[in-house]
Amino acid sequence: MEQHEHDAQADLSPRTKVVALGRPERSPGASLNPPVTFTSTYIQDGPVNYARVDNPTWTPFEEAVGELEGGAALLFSSGMAAVHAALALVPTGGTVVAPAAAYNGVVVSLTEAQADGRVTVRWVDVTDADAVCEALPGADLLWLESPSNPLLEVADIAGLTTAAHEAGALVVVDNTFATPLLQRPLEDGVDVVVHSATKYLSGHSDVILGLVVTCDDELRARLARHRTLAGAIAGPMEAWLALRGLRTLSLRLERACANAADLAGRLADHPRIARVRYPGWGAIVSIEVDGDGDGSAAAEALTAGTRIWSASTSLGGVESQLERRRRQPGEPEAVPVNLVRLSVGVEDVDDLWADLRQALDALE
Ligand SMILES: Cc1ncc(COP(=O)(O)O)c(C=O)c1O
Protein backbone atom coordinates (compact mmCIF):
# COMPACT_ATOMS: atom_id res chain seq x y z
CA MET A 1 0.00 0.00 0.00
CA GLU A 2 1.27 3.50 -0.84
CA GLN A 3 1.98 5.74 2.19
CA HIS A 4 -0.80 8.25 1.33
CA GLU A 5 -3.32 5.42 0.98
CA HIS A 6 -2.16 4.02 4.32
CA ASP A 7 -2.70 7.40 6.02
CA ALA A 8 -6.16 7.72 4.44
CA GLN A 9 -7.16 4.31 5.89
CA ALA A 10 -5.62 4.75 9.33
CA ASP A 11 -8.54 6.66 10.92
CA LEU A 12 -11.26 4.35 9.61
CA SER A 13 -13.24 2.04 11.88
CA PRO A 14 -12.17 -1.62 11.69
CA ARG A 15 -15.73 -2.32 10.47
CA THR A 16 -15.02 -0.17 7.45
CA LYS A 17 -11.47 -1.45 7.05
CA VAL A 18 -12.56 -5.07 6.58
CA VAL A 19 -14.67 -3.92 3.65
CA ALA A 20 -12.44 -1.22 2.18
CA LEU A 21 -8.88 -2.54 2.47
CA GLY A 22 -7.08 -4.54 -0.19
CA ARG A 23 -8.97 -3.11 -3.15
CA PRO A 24 -7.37 -2.33 -6.53
CA GLU A 25 -6.66 1.33 -7.20
CA ARG A 26 -9.75 3.14 -8.46
CA SER A 27 -9.67 4.18 -12.09
CA PRO A 28 -12.29 4.11 -14.81
CA GLY A 29 -12.96 0.51 -15.76
CA ALA A 30 -10.88 -0.98 -12.95
CA SER A 31 -12.33 -4.06 -11.22
CA LEU A 32 -13.64 -3.61 -7.69
CA ASN A 33 -11.97 -6.80 -6.50
CA PRO A 34 -8.38 -7.91 -6.99
CA PRO A 35 -7.76 -10.61 -9.59
CA VAL A 36 -6.42 -14.09 -8.85
CA THR A 37 -2.94 -14.57 -10.27
CA PHE A 38 -2.14 -18.16 -11.11
CA THR A 39 1.54 -18.30 -11.89
CA SER A 40 4.64 -20.08 -10.70
CA THR A 41 7.09 -17.53 -12.08
CA TYR A 42 7.49 -14.01 -13.49
CA ILE A 43 9.38 -12.49 -16.42
CA GLN A 44 12.82 -11.75 -15.07
CA ASP A 45 14.15 -8.38 -13.84
CA GLY A 46 10.92 -7.46 -12.00
CA PRO A 47 10.59 -7.05 -8.19
CA VAL A 48 10.00 -10.81 -7.66
CA ASN A 49 11.25 -13.60 -9.87
CA TYR A 50 9.50 -16.70 -8.48
CA ALA A 51 6.04 -17.31 -7.00
CA ARG A 52 7.30 -19.15 -3.91
CA VAL A 53 8.59 -15.72 -2.81
CA ASP A 54 5.47 -13.66 -3.49
CA ASN A 55 2.17 -13.64 -5.35
CA PRO A 56 0.09 -10.49 -6.02
CA THR A 57 -3.03 -12.35 -4.82
CA TRP A 58 -1.53 -12.61 -1.32
CA THR A 59 -0.90 -8.88 -1.09
CA PRO A 60 -4.44 -7.47 -0.62
CA PHE A 61 -5.24 -9.98 2.15
CA GLU A 62 -1.87 -9.34 3.83
CA GLU A 63 -2.40 -5.58 3.62
CA ALA A 64 -5.89 -5.80 5.05
CA VAL A 65 -4.97 -8.04 8.01
CA GLY A 66 -1.72 -6.12 8.59
CA GLU A 67 -3.62 -2.83 8.82
CA LEU A 68 -6.25 -4.37 11.12
CA GLU A 69 -3.59 -5.73 13.50
CA GLY A 70 -1.36 -2.66 13.23
CA GLY A 71 1.65 -4.29 11.56
CA ALA A 72 2.82 -6.03 8.40
CA ALA A 73 1.28 -9.44 7.68
CA LEU A 74 2.68 -12.47 5.87
CA LEU A 75 0.36 -15.15 4.54
CA PHE A 76 1.18 -18.85 5.05
CA SER A 77 -0.32 -22.12 3.84
CA SER A 78 -1.89 -22.86 7.25
CA GLY A 79 -2.03 -21.65 10.81
CA MET A 80 0.51 -24.35 11.71
CA ALA A 81 2.88 -23.10 9.00
CA ALA A 82 2.63 -19.65 10.60
CA VAL A 83 3.17 -21.18 14.07
CA HIS A 84 6.30 -22.96 12.86
CA ALA A 85 7.66 -19.79 11.24
CA ALA A 86 7.25 -18.00 14.58
CA LEU A 87 8.80 -20.91 16.54
CA ALA A 88 11.77 -20.84 14.14
CA LEU A 89 12.69 -17.46 15.69
CA VAL A 90 13.94 -19.48 18.69
CA PRO A 91 17.60 -20.44 18.30
CA THR A 92 18.53 -24.12 18.50
CA GLY A 93 18.98 -24.94 22.18
CA GLY A 94 16.81 -21.98 23.16
CA THR A 95 14.06 -21.83 25.76
CA VAL A 96 10.34 -21.28 25.24
CA VAL A 97 7.82 -20.42 27.94
CA ALA A 98 4.51 -21.83 26.75
CA PRO A 99 0.99 -22.51 28.01
CA ALA A 100 0.42 -26.04 29.33
CA ALA A 101 -3.01 -25.89 27.72
CA ALA A 102 -3.16 -24.36 24.26
CA TYR A 103 -3.98 -25.43 20.72
CA ASN A 104 -2.73 -29.04 20.57
CA GLY A 105 -0.71 -28.48 17.37
CA VAL A 106 1.45 -25.99 19.26
CA VAL A 107 1.73 -28.16 22.38
CA VAL A 108 2.66 -31.26 20.35
CA SER A 109 5.19 -29.31 18.21
CA LEU A 110 6.93 -27.95 21.30
CA THR A 111 6.81 -31.31 23.09
CA GLU A 112 8.46 -33.03 20.11
CA ALA A 113 11.03 -30.24 19.66
CA GLN A 114 11.95 -30.67 23.34
CA ALA A 115 12.14 -34.47 23.01
CA ASP A 116 14.51 -34.01 20.05
CA GLY A 117 16.71 -31.70 22.13
CA ARG A 118 16.06 -28.67 19.91
CA VAL A 119 14.46 -26.48 22.60
CA THR A 120 13.70 -26.43 26.30
CA VAL A 121 10.05 -25.77 27.14
CA ARG A 122 8.88 -24.34 30.45
CA TRP A 123 5.15 -25.10 30.62
CA VAL A 124 3.09 -22.58 32.54
CA ASP A 125 -0.45 -21.68 33.53
CA VAL A 126 -0.79 -18.38 31.65
CA THR A 127 -3.55 -17.18 33.97
CA ASP A 128 -0.97 -17.22 36.81
CA ALA A 129 1.12 -14.14 35.98
CA ASP A 130 3.57 -14.76 38.85
CA ALA A 131 4.28 -18.29 37.60
CA VAL A 132 4.87 -16.99 34.07
CA CYS A 133 7.23 -14.28 35.35
CA GLU A 134 9.19 -16.85 37.38
CA ALA A 135 9.67 -18.91 34.21
CA LEU A 136 10.93 -16.01 32.08
CA PRO A 137 14.59 -15.46 33.10
CA GLY A 138 16.84 -16.87 30.36
CA ALA A 139 13.93 -17.55 28.00
CA ASP A 140 14.06 -16.68 24.30
CA LEU A 141 10.33 -16.69 23.63
CA LEU A 142 7.05 -16.38 25.49
CA TRP A 143 4.16 -18.03 23.61
CA LEU A 144 0.63 -16.90 24.49
CA GLU A 145 -2.79 -17.84 23.20
CA SER A 146 -5.61 -15.75 24.62
CA PRO A 147 -8.40 -16.73 24.88
CA SER A 148 -6.91 -20.20 24.72
CA ASN A 149 -8.16 -23.23 22.82
CA PRO A 150 -10.28 -24.82 24.27
CA LEU A 151 -10.16 -23.76 27.94
CA LEU A 152 -10.76 -20.10 27.05
CA GLU A 153 -8.15 -18.94 29.52
CA VAL A 154 -7.30 -15.26 29.25
CA ALA A 155 -3.75 -13.98 29.81
CA ASP A 156 -2.65 -10.47 30.79
CA ILE A 157 -1.00 -9.84 27.42
CA ALA A 158 0.29 -6.32 28.18
CA GLY A 159 1.69 -7.17 31.62
CA LEU A 160 3.32 -10.43 30.54
CA THR A 161 4.80 -8.76 27.44
CA THR A 162 6.49 -6.10 29.57
CA ALA A 163 7.88 -8.81 31.87
CA ALA A 164 9.06 -10.94 28.93
CA HIS A 165 10.83 -8.01 27.29
CA GLU A 166 12.56 -7.15 30.57
CA ALA A 167 13.82 -10.75 30.58
CA GLY A 168 15.00 -10.40 26.97
CA ALA A 169 12.38 -12.74 25.46
CA LEU A 170 10.31 -12.20 22.34
CA VAL A 171 6.53 -12.50 22.70
CA VAL A 172 4.23 -14.28 20.23
CA VAL A 173 0.45 -14.19 20.65
CA ASP A 174 -1.89 -16.51 18.79
CA ASN A 175 -4.83 -14.16 18.16
CA THR A 176 -7.01 -16.67 16.31
CA PHE A 177 -9.87 -16.71 18.84
CA ALA A 178 -10.07 -12.94 19.28
CA THR A 179 -9.32 -11.58 15.79
CA PRO A 180 -8.03 -8.01 15.46
CA LEU A 181 -11.58 -6.74 15.84
CA LEU A 182 -11.63 -7.81 19.51
CA GLN A 183 -7.93 -7.67 20.51
CA ARG A 184 -4.80 -6.11 19.00
CA PRO A 185 -1.74 -7.56 20.75
CA LEU A 186 0.82 -5.54 18.75
CA GLU A 187 -0.54 -2.43 20.52
CA ASP A 188 0.50 -4.09 23.81
CA GLY A 189 4.06 -4.41 22.54
CA VAL A 190 3.81 -8.04 21.42
CA ASP A 191 6.45 -8.88 18.78
CA VAL A 192 4.57 -11.30 16.53
CA VAL A 193 0.87 -12.13 16.17
CA VAL A 194 -0.05 -15.51 14.70
CA HIS A 195 -3.38 -16.47 13.14
CA SER A 196 -5.05 -19.53 11.85
CA ALA A 197 -6.82 -17.64 9.05
CA THR A 198 -8.71 -20.88 8.49
CA LYS A 199 -11.02 -19.70 11.29
CA TYR A 200 -12.72 -16.30 11.73
CA LEU A 201 -10.68 -14.27 9.24
CA SER A 202 -11.82 -16.31 6.24
CA GLY A 203 -14.92 -17.46 8.12
CA HIS A 204 -16.59 -20.02 5.84
CA SER A 205 -14.80 -23.32 6.67
CA ASP A 206 -13.53 -23.61 3.10
CA VAL A 207 -9.80 -22.78 3.26
CA ILE A 208 -6.72 -23.60 5.37
CA LEU A 209 -4.45 -20.56 5.77
CA GLY A 210 -2.29 -18.81 8.36
CA LEU A 211 -0.68 -15.44 8.98
CA VAL A 212 2.04 -13.84 11.03
CA VAL A 213 1.96 -10.10 11.72
CA THR A 214 4.72 -7.92 13.13
CA CYS A 215 5.78 -4.25 13.32
CA ASP A 216 9.46 -5.21 13.41
CA ASP A 217 11.19 -5.07 10.00
CA GLU A 218 13.98 -7.43 11.02
CA LEU A 219 11.54 -10.06 12.35
CA ARG A 220 9.40 -9.64 9.24
CA ALA A 221 12.42 -10.31 7.03
CA ARG A 222 13.30 -13.47 9.02
CA LEU A 223 9.70 -14.73 8.87
CA ALA A 224 9.48 -14.03 5.12
CA ARG A 225 12.75 -15.87 4.55
CA HIS A 226 11.45 -18.85 6.52
CA ARG A 227 8.31 -18.86 4.36
CA THR A 228 10.29 -18.83 1.15
CA LEU A 229 12.72 -21.54 2.24
CA ALA A 230 10.13 -23.79 3.92
CA GLY A 231 7.84 -23.23 0.95
CA ALA A 232 4.86 -22.86 3.28
CA ILE A 233 2.93 -20.69 0.86
CA ALA A 234 -0.75 -20.13 0.18
CA GLY A 235 -2.44 -21.01 -3.07
CA PRO A 236 -3.75 -17.90 -4.83
CA MET A 237 -7.34 -19.17 -4.91
CA GLU A 238 -7.35 -19.70 -1.13
CA ALA A 239 -5.90 -16.23 -0.59
CA TRP A 240 -8.64 -14.70 -2.73
CA LEU A 241 -11.38 -16.63 -0.90
CA ALA A 242 -9.96 -15.49 2.43
CA LEU A 243 -10.12 -11.84 1.39
CA ARG A 244 -13.71 -12.32 0.27
CA GLY A 245 -14.53 -13.90 3.64
CA LEU A 246 -12.78 -11.08 5.52
CA ARG A 247 -15.24 -8.56 4.05
CA THR A 248 -17.96 -9.80 6.43
CA LEU A 249 -15.77 -10.41 9.50
CA SER A 250 -17.33 -7.63 11.54
CA LEU A 251 -20.90 -8.69 10.71
CA ARG A 252 -20.17 -12.37 11.32
CA LEU A 253 -18.38 -11.72 14.58
CA GLU A 254 -21.04 -9.36 15.88
CA ARG A 255 -23.76 -11.97 15.39
CA ALA A 256 -21.66 -14.92 16.57
CA CYS A 257 -20.54 -13.10 19.74
CA ALA A 258 -24.12 -12.08 20.57
CA ASN A 259 -25.26 -15.67 20.03
CA ALA A 260 -22.42 -16.99 22.23
CA ALA A 261 -23.27 -14.62 25.10
CA ASP A 262 -26.92 -15.66 24.91
CA LEU A 263 -26.14 -19.39 24.77
CA ALA A 264 -23.59 -19.20 27.61
CA GLY A 265 -26.36 -17.91 29.85
CA ARG A 266 -28.92 -20.52 28.77
CA LEU A 267 -26.44 -23.40 29.02
CA ALA A 268 -25.50 -22.49 32.58
CA ASP A 269 -29.05 -23.29 33.70
CA HIS A 270 -29.24 -26.74 32.09
CA PRO A 271 -28.98 -29.62 34.62
CA ARG A 272 -26.67 -31.67 32.31
CA ILE A 273 -24.03 -28.92 32.18
CA ALA A 274 -21.46 -29.16 34.96
CA ARG A 275 -19.53 -26.06 33.90
CA VAL A 276 -19.65 -23.33 31.26
CA ARG A 277 -16.38 -21.70 30.23
CA TYR A 278 -16.95 -18.35 28.58
CA PRO A 279 -14.65 -15.37 29.11
CA GLY A 280 -17.48 -12.86 28.66
CA TRP A 281 -16.59 -12.10 25.05
CA GLY A 282 -15.78 -13.88 21.79
CA ALA A 283 -17.81 -16.56 20.04
CA ILE A 284 -16.45 -19.77 21.58
CA VAL A 285 -18.07 -21.38 24.60
CA SER A 286 -16.75 -24.59 26.18
CA ILE A 287 -19.03 -26.75 28.29
CA GLU A 288 -18.45 -29.71 30.57
CA VAL A 289 -21.21 -32.31 30.31
CA ASP A 290 -22.50 -34.21 33.33
CA GLY A 291 -22.88 -37.96 32.82
CA ASP A 292 -22.02 -41.40 34.12
CA GLY A 293 -18.36 -41.95 34.99
CA ASP A 294 -16.15 -39.19 33.63
CA GLY A 295 -18.91 -37.71 31.44
CA SER A 296 -17.04 -38.40 28.19
CA ALA A 297 -19.79 -40.72 26.85
CA ALA A 298 -22.45 -38.10 27.57
CA ALA A 299 -20.30 -35.46 25.86
CA GLU A 300 -19.95 -37.71 22.79
CA ALA A 301 -23.70 -38.38 22.80
CA LEU A 302 -24.37 -34.65 22.86
CA THR A 303 -22.21 -34.05 19.79
CA ALA A 304 -23.94 -36.95 18.01
CA GLY A 305 -27.40 -35.66 18.85
CA THR A 306 -27.57 -32.26 17.17
CA ARG A 307 -29.13 -31.41 13.81
CA ILE A 308 -27.95 -27.83 13.15
CA TRP A 309 -24.67 -27.91 15.03
CA SER A 310 -22.19 -30.04 13.11
CA ALA A 311 -19.91 -32.45 14.93
CA SER A 312 -16.65 -31.42 13.29
CA THR A 313 -13.28 -30.12 14.36
CA SER A 314 -12.29 -26.48 13.66
CA LEU A 315 -14.11 -23.28 14.49
CA GLY A 316 -14.75 -19.71 13.40
CA GLY A 317 -17.02 -20.39 10.43
CA VAL A 318 -20.55 -19.11 9.88
CA GLU A 319 -21.73 -22.63 10.73
CA SER A 320 -22.06 -23.66 14.38
CA GLN A 321 -19.77 -26.57 15.24
CA LEU A 322 -19.16 -28.65 18.31
CA GLU A 323 -16.56 -31.19 19.31
CA ARG A 324 -15.45 -33.17 22.35
CA ARG A 325 -11.87 -32.01 22.26
CA ARG A 326 -10.22 -34.98 23.99
CA ARG A 327 -11.14 -37.17 21.02
CA GLN A 328 -8.19 -35.39 19.31
CA PRO A 329 -4.88 -37.19 19.79
CA GLY A 330 -2.42 -34.84 21.42
CA GLU A 331 -5.03 -32.76 23.21
CA PRO A 332 -3.45 -31.64 26.52
CA GLU A 333 -4.53 -33.59 29.60
CA ALA A 334 -5.50 -30.32 31.25
CA VAL A 335 -8.55 -30.39 28.99
CA PRO A 336 -11.36 -32.29 30.78
CA VAL A 337 -12.55 -35.43 28.96
CA ASN A 338 -16.17 -34.25 29.13
CA LEU A 339 -15.42 -30.82 27.60
CA VAL A 340 -17.27 -29.93 24.42
CA ARG A 341 -16.09 -26.85 22.53
CA LEU A 342 -18.88 -24.88 20.87
CA SER A 343 -17.94 -22.63 17.97
CA VAL A 344 -21.03 -20.49 17.82
CA GLY A 345 -22.06 -19.49 14.33
CA VAL A 346 -24.38 -16.88 12.89
CA GLU A 347 -27.62 -18.89 12.71
CA ASP A 348 -30.74 -17.86 14.62
CA VAL A 349 -29.92 -18.19 18.32
CA ASP A 350 -33.29 -19.72 19.23
CA ASP A 351 -32.74 -22.47 16.65
CA LEU A 352 -29.24 -23.06 18.01
CA TRP A 353 -30.54 -23.28 21.57
CA ALA A 354 -33.47 -25.53 20.67
CA ASP A 355 -31.07 -27.92 18.92
CA LEU A 356 -28.62 -28.03 21.84
CA ARG A 357 -31.40 -28.34 24.40
CA GLN A 358 -33.08 -31.28 22.69
CA ALA A 359 -29.69 -33.06 22.46
CA LEU A 360 -29.00 -32.33 26.15
CA ASP A 361 -32.51 -33.37 27.22
CA ALA A 362 -32.10 -36.65 25.29
CA LEU A 363 -28.97 -37.67 27.23
CA GLU A 364 -29.55 -40.75 29.35
C1 LIG B 1 -5.67 -21.31 18.18
C2 LIG B 1 -5.20 -22.04 16.97
N1 LIG B 1 -3.98 -21.78 16.46
C3 LIG B 1 -3.50 -22.43 15.36
C4 LIG B 1 -4.25 -23.39 14.74
C5 LIG B 1 -3.69 -24.10 13.54
O1 LIG B 1 -4.28 -23.59 12.39
P1 LIG B 1 -4.46 -24.43 11.00
O2 LIG B 1 -5.42 -25.53 11.30
O3 LIG B 1 -4.98 -23.38 10.07
O4 LIG B 1 -3.11 -24.94 10.61
C6 LIG B 1 -5.52 -23.69 15.22
C7 LIG B 1 -6.34 -24.74 14.56
O5 LIG B 1 -7.35 -25.18 15.07
C8 LIG B 1 -6.01 -23.00 16.36
O6 LIG B 1 -7.22 -23.26 16.88
Side-chain angles (χ1 to χ4, degrees):
M1 197 186 298
E2 299 291 331
Q3 187 56 39
H4 65 274
E5 252 183 274
H6 180 88
D7 294 343
Q9 310 279 17
D11 62 340
L12 296 174
S13 153
R15 290 179 180 173
T16 305
K17 286 181 178 174
V18 295
V19 178
L21 297 176
R23 300 276 182 188
E25 212 170 293
R26 290 186 186 185
S27 62
S31 70
L32 198 56
N33 291 301
V36 190
T37 301
F38 291 108
T39 193
S40 60
T41 191
Y42 307 95
I43 304 299
Q44 64 188 21
D45 297 330
V48 181
N49 73 351
Y50 193 51
R52 180 157 36 78
V53 180
D54 210 349
N55 182 304
T57 319
W58 303 344
T59 314
F61 186 57
E62 290 178 333
E63 282 182 359
V65 177
E67 177 66 29
L68 288 166
E69 285 284 7
L74 291 165
L75 185 60
F76 284 76
S77 52
S78 66
M80 282 309 294
V83 163
H84 275 256
L87 289 177
L89 296 171
V90 180
T92 305
T95 296
V96 179
V97 176
Y103 172 57
N104 66 45
V106 175
V107 173
V108 171
S109 295
L110 284 171
T111 303
E112 292 187 359
Q114 174 153 259
D116 291 347
R118 282 180 279 132
V119 294
T120 299
V121 187
R122 298 178 187 154
W123 303 104
V124 289
D125 169 357
V126 292
T127 63
D128 182 348
D130 291 341
V132 178
C133 290
E134 268 172 42
L136 284 171
D140 298 281
L141 183 81
L142 169 63
W143 189 276
L144 296 174
E145 188 182 283
S146 183
S148 65
N149 182 0
L151 297 182
L152 303 173
E153 291 174 337
V154 173
D156 169 12
I157 293 176
L160 294 179
T161 297
T162 304
H165 285 168
E166 278 168 9
L170 288 173
V171 182
V172 176
V173 171
D174 185 329
N175 206 27
T176 299
F177 273 35
T179 87
L181 297 196
L182 302 182
Q183 173 171 278
R184 288 157 35 109
L186 296 178
E187 287 179 356
D188 289 327
V190 162
D191 300 286
V192 178
V193 162
V194 164
H195 277 284
S196 168
T198 311
K199 319 296 186 197
Y200 291 105
L201 297 182
S202 61
H204 294 75
S205 309
D206 52 9
V207 297
I208 299 271
L209 285 173
L211 290 151
V212 297
V213 196
T214 181
C215 310
D216 183 310
D217 288 345
E218 195 231 316
L219 289 177
R220 185 190 177 284
R222 287 169 65 191
L223 292 160
R225 188 163 169 72
H226 175 96
R227 179 176 71 176
T228 297
L229 293 177
I233 59 161
M237 195 65 223
E238 283 81 357
W240 189 91
L241 280 169
L243 182 66
R244 184 167 74 163
L246 186 75
R247 299 296 182 217
T248 54
L249 175 63
S250 121
L251 278 174
R252 287 185 281 106
L253 209 57
E254 224 170 274
R255 170 70 79 84
C257 289
N259 283 354
D262 190 330
L263 291 176
R266 298 197 209 191
L267 283 159
D269 293 334
H270 196 283
R272 296 308 296 260
I273 303 294
R275 178 171 177 183
V276 176
R277 294 171 186 258
Y278 169 64
W281 57 284
I284 309 285
V285 179
S286 291
I287 53 177
E288 291 169 34
V289 183
D290 229 349
D292 286 346
D294 60 14
S296 59
E300 281 293 330
L302 169 67
T303 65
T306 54
R307 184 166 63 99
I308 302 171
W309 295 78
S310 79
S312 51
T313 199
S314 198
L315 57 105
V318 290
E319 317 82 0
S320 291
Q321 295 173 272
L322 81 180
E323 183 187 33
R324 187 179 74 86
R325 284 300 292 169
R326 284 290 295 276
R327 67 166 26 233
Q328 291 291 339
E331 190 69 6
E333 285 188 4
V335 176
V337 291
N338 61 340
L339 181 144
V340 173
R341 185 187 66 198
L342 307 175
S343 172
V344 182
V346 303
E347 302 92 335
D348 182 272
V349 72
D350 290 328
D351 287 343
L352 291 177
W353 172 240
D355 192 26
L356 274 182
R357 197 189 47 201
Q358 64 76 26
L360 284 164
D361 290 347
L363 294 179
E364 287 174 3

